[in-house]
Structure formats: C-alpha cells, structure tokens
Amino acid sequence: MQDEALMAAALSVGRRELGQTWPNPAVGAVVVRETPAGPVVLGRGWTSKGGRPHAEPQAIAQAGKAAHGATLYVTLEPCSHHGQTPPCVDAIRAAGLKRVVAAVEDPDFRVAGRGFSILREAGIEVVVGPGAAEARIAHAGHIRRVTEGRPHVMLKLAISADGKVGLAGRRPAAITGEATRGRVHMLRATFDAVLTGIGTVLADDPRLTCRLPGMLHRSPVRIVLDSELRLPATSALARSIATAPLWILAAEDAPAEREGPIVGLGAEVMRVRRRAGGGLDLDEAVKLLALRGITRLMVEAGPRVAGAFVQSRLVDEADIFQAPRELGPEALDALEGLPLSQLDTYLSVTETERHGADRLTIMRRR
C-alpha cells in the first residue's frame, strides 16, 4: 500500500507538465527515505518542457547526498540509452539509491526492460507494477507512439441531452456551461495538439488556445484538416500563430498557390493523401503527426471529422460533456452518419464527473 501511495505522488508530480514534454513522456519521480516516523520525500522531479531534463536526475539532484540508500519512485522505466542527455540509470547508480520502484516498463525498443536489468546488475532492488493502471493512462501517448506509430487520440464532444451538437443547418449552439468550458481549456493544456476540421474553422472561427488565467503559454499546437487549403489568413487561428503553432494538413493535390498567404504568417502545411471518399486519409495523418513528435492528440471538431475518427477506430478516449438541455430532432447528430452508440463498440466508460449542470463521461479503449 505504501508503494502505491508514493507512486501516486510521483504520478501527480509528472502530470504537471502533461502536454508540454513531447516527444518525450511526462514522467514523475520522487526520492523517498524511510524513517521511524514514516516515509519522507527528499526530492521531486518531472520531465521538463520539451522533454529534457528527465524527471529522475532532477529528483536525485534535489535530494542531494541524502539520496544515498533511499528509494526512487518513478512512473516509467528509467532510460538506459545515450540521447541528448546521459542515461537516467547512470544517475541512479551514481546516487547510491538502493531501491527503484517503477510503475511500468518503457516499450521503447531502446529501453524495454534494459533499464531494469542494468539497475539489478548494479545490486539495486527493482520493483515494477505499483500504480501501473494510472501510469498507462498518463503515458498512453508515449506508449501508443512507440508501439503503433501514432498519437493517443482523445475525442472531445459537447452534446445536448438528446445527443446533438448543433442546430439544423449546421448552425452552432451554446450547449454546455461555464464550468465545462473551463474543464475543456484545462484539457487543451494537457494535450500536445488539438485538431479540428476546416468546416468548424469556417463556421465558428475558433482559436483553440488555453485561455485559463496565466495558462495561455500552455496552448497546444493547433491542427486543421483542410484538404483544399481554404483556411482564411484572417481567421482567429491564423491571427494567433504567435501564441501557439498552427499546422495545416492538406491533400497532396491541393493548389500550391494557396499555401503562400498562410505560410507567410508562420503556419506550416503538410500534405496527406486522400482516401477513397475524397477526404484526407486519417491513418496517414495521425502517423505523420507522430513522426513530428505528437504523442497526445485532442480532436475538437464537428460531426464530420468526429464521425470519421470514430469510423476509422482511431479514438482511444472520448470525453463526452452532456448538458441537460435538448436541441430537438432536427439538430445535428454528434457523429455524422453514425449513432453515438458506435463508441460503445470499442470504448468503455471508466469515469464520470459533474461540472456544474453538465455531466462528463470518460470512455477509454478496452
């Protein structure tokens, strides 16, 4: 039970930079010494923005000489390879830690159990497993990127009591309340990127930034599926490029001359092949984003894009905010061409929350 509780502390520490460390995982670590009065935390560390320094050496440095003979709790297997920084296993051995408790093994082929082996060979006790279920959620983006070559995809939906997302004629409607809007902004702050479709951009002119007080700098990369390069240079997304990057996913055959105005403002255009129906190939799109380092992708789009992600079985998590008001039978369904129950075919409800009058249901891949 004590290992679980202290791992929970490491997970809490690691989550503080979730969405800011890509392409690296947001790892948390704490150095703990056992005393007659109970465990004492000597040092805390977390992966810094941009992925370096790593969590373990920062926690060890904070603990200083007191780390000798202590226990390190870390949410992911310590790295064992030389990259832009030395291996974390070297820092652990040099500090004289006697025990390492890790939540999960790192599936990255450069680590994948090797870190644990090196520590055991050095005479350090290694325990793997406490907090594993929560760690797999926290590190879902990293795990999916290194095992499947794509980001972890979360679909965010704001629906009415009767499962609608907009008024007839594709007119937008204010559905959820202020508490939900705050929660959505916090979600944006914990994702590497947020994706929407050009239809939503033209209809709603969103910024897709995190506008909680003092958190604008945590805004994710904004990504637009725009097969024909129709995004206006006067849009809110284009005008806020200084705040957060803007990437456009366009079709391979979209007119090259349309790139100029938006690229001139600082946006980046990437080309993706079309699928048979004419839209962009989402499988190729998400793999391209993974190659660019994106590990956690939030889809905040209209029914067409949302339905396409669900149909392609690319949704790993759905955060569904449901308000008590109804919009009526003529209003827009949440997923174009699909019942909302399509999510049940490969996702299961794992959590529910209340935000004001709205209910949040979180579903994750089984």
Side-chain angles (χ1 to χ4, degrees):
M1 287 295 292
Q2 181 169 291
D3 282 351
E4 293 280 348
L6 291 167
M7 186 61 73
L11 284 160
S12 179
V13 167
R15 279 192 289 264
R16 65 185 296 153
E17 290 297 332
L18 202 59
Q20 304 298 301
T21 66
W22 60 279
N24 288 356
V27 176
V30 294
V31 176
V32 178
R33 179 174 296 282
E34 204 49 65
T35 74
V40 175
V41 175
L42 306 173
R44 302 180 304 153
W46 52 88
T47 309
S48 296
K49 186 169 183 175
R52 296 174 184 83
H54 291 182
E56 299 96 319
Q58 295 192 79
I60 291 168
Q62 191 177 99
K65 293 182 179 179
H68 192 276
T71 297
L72 174 72
Y73 289 84
V74 61
T75 61
L76 187 69
E77 178 181 4
C79 67
S80 55
H81 60 284
H82 283 270
Q84 294 186 30
T85 55
C88 290
V89 292
D90 289 356
I92 294 169
R93 291 186 297 181
L97 287 153
K98 71 172 184 180
R99 186 169 181 256
V100 171
V101 181
V104 291
E105 180 180 303
D106 188 343
D108 188 326
F109 74 92
R110 297 170 297 177
V111 187
R114 185 166 174 266
F116 294 147
S117 295
I118 291 172
L119 295 176
R120 289 187 176 113
E121 288 169 4
I124 298 170
E125 179 188 355
V126 176
V127 177
V128 184
E134 192 63 30
R136 288 190 189 98
I137 293 172
H139 298 314
H142 170 71
I143 293 169
R144 205 167 295 282
R145 180 171 178 261
V146 300
T147 58
E148 298 182 30
R150 68 173 181 83
H152 174 82
V153 176
M154 187 275 278
L155 173 64
K156 171 258 173 181
L157 294 173
I159 65 174
S160 62
D162 49 350
K164 307 293 184 176
V165 295
L167 300 174
R170 298 191 179 275
R171 292 175 295 141
I175 297 173
T176 52
E178 191 63 31
T180 286
R181 285 189 282 276
R183 181 71 161 80
V184 170
H185 281 279
M186 181 59 76
L187 278 172
R188 289 178 186 168
T190 64
F191 276 79
D192 309 347
V194 58
L195 178 148
T196 196
I198 186 61
T200 296
V201 174
L202 296 175
D204 300 346
D205 198 24
R207 279 178 283 174
L208 299 177
T209 51
C210 174
R211 295 191 296 279
L212 295 174
M215 294 185 69
L216 189 62
H217 68 286
R218 291 187 63 109
S219 296
V221 175
R222 287 87 49 81
I223 300 169
V224 182
L225 295 179
D226 184 11
S227 58
E228 306 298 337
L229 283 173
R230 294 188 293 153
L231 189 136
T234 56
S235 66
L237 285 170
R239 288 185 283 106
S240 58
I241 286 176
T243 301
L246 176 61
W247 297 354
I248 313 299
L249 295 179
E252 291 174 328
D253 58 354
E257 63 272 15
R258 293 183 183 174
E259 283 192 25
I262 192 67
V263 170
L265 291 174
E268 185 171 351
V269 175
M270 291 173 272
R271 301 286 181 153
V272 179
R273 68 172 175 237
R274 295 182 189 269
R275 61 176 187 262
L280 297 179
D281 185 318
L282 295 183
D283 289 288
E284 181 178 302
V286 294
K287 287 177 181 176
L288 175 60
L289 296 179
L291 288 173
R292 296 297 306 273
I294 299 299
T295 67
R296 290 168 53 82
L297 177 66
M298 177 176 174
V299 176
E300 193 172 352
R304 288 177 181 167
V305 171
F309 267 88
V310 173
Q311 185 68 52
S312 299
R313 297 181 74 87
L314 287 172
V315 176
D316 304 301
E317 176 185 340
D319 285 21
I320 305 169
F321 296 88
Q322 188 163 30
R325 66 174 292 203
E326 295 188 359
L327 294 183
E330 301 303 315
L332 288 178
D333 291 331
L335 305 175
E336 186 163 298
L338 297 172
L340 194 57
S341 60
Q342 186 73 17
L343 290 169
D344 298 332
T345 60
Y346 61 100
L347 304 181
S348 298
V349 175
T350 58
E351 300 170 53
T352 59
E353 300 173 7
R354 298 295 305 193
H355 295 278
D358 304 329
R359 182 181 71 224
L360 167 60
T361 300
I362 299 174
M363 304 179 73
R364 294 191 173 97
R365 188 180 286 272
R366 289 193 283 272

